[in-house]
Amino acid sequence: MLEEIYIDLPASDDSIASLQLGSVVYLTGTVYTAREGVYHRVLNEGHPLPSGLADRSNVNFHCSPAAAKNEVGGFDIGGVTATASFRFSQYLAQWLDLTGTKIIIGKGGMAEADYENILAPRGVIYLTTIGYGTGALLGRGIQDVEAVHWFDELGIAQAMWLFNVENFGPFLVESDLQGRSLFAQQGKTINKHLDALYEGLKEPALHRYGETK
């Protein structure tokens, strides 16, 4: 049975150090979203971070929320869908140094070198969503929207959202402080057997699309 861990945010160094590959994590506190739109705005264009962000949260969720304005002028969140984190590799070292973020949530993982050279040296671990279609499930853990920044400039998907969450998850611990990655480990195991799996198959029929065995 997978170990379940509940963490209050901002996550302490001890809490992060206790996370083991393959454990299931639930978070309570404040989580913020930031992806390429926010990274570009802050790191490339020089806009300041929202005041007090580092004191409120050290968890960056790579996601796109399903948000709708409500009758009192706030937002209701129906769900949150993780997006692929490897697309943001170029920004992460600067972003982590600037914000003090210690947990990244996303899907698809990072390049193996990014765990070793960017995340682990900064004491950062990666949590991944579990399977597809979990956006509505994760949405149940969002209690309310604390704030949203750059909504008009960047739109729903790219704006920075601060969510107050309770038992937010489940997430799988995908990397650890030694720079080890479940995706990297399992990918190597699977790839070793790919040639044998496809041995003897006929050549692809649609070469114009670049298919290979």
Side-chain angles (χ1 to χ4, degrees), residues 76-152:
D76 294 325
I77 305 297
V80 280
T81 302
T83 193
S85 298
F86 64 84
R87 298 185 294 127
F88 314 134
S89 177
Q90 61 179 310
Y91 300 106
L92 282 182
Q94 281 183 275
W95 184 259
L96 297 175
D97 289 343
L98 178 66
T99 62
T101 294
K102 294 299 181 182
I103 295 175
I104 296 174
I105 306 172
K107 72 175 183 182
M110 312 287 297
E112 187 171 8
D114 289 341
Y115 297 107
E116 298 171 352
N117 301 327
I118 299 176
L119 271 62
R122 293 169 172 82
V124 178
I125 61 97
Y126 187 87
L127 304 181
T128 185
T129 53
I130 299 175
Y132 288 91
T134 58
L137 174 63
L138 294 176
R140 298 174 189 173
I142 297 176
Q143 303 302 297
D144 58 62
V145 176
E146 179 178 318
V148 58
H149 300 278
W150 304 309
F151 179 86
D152 292 336

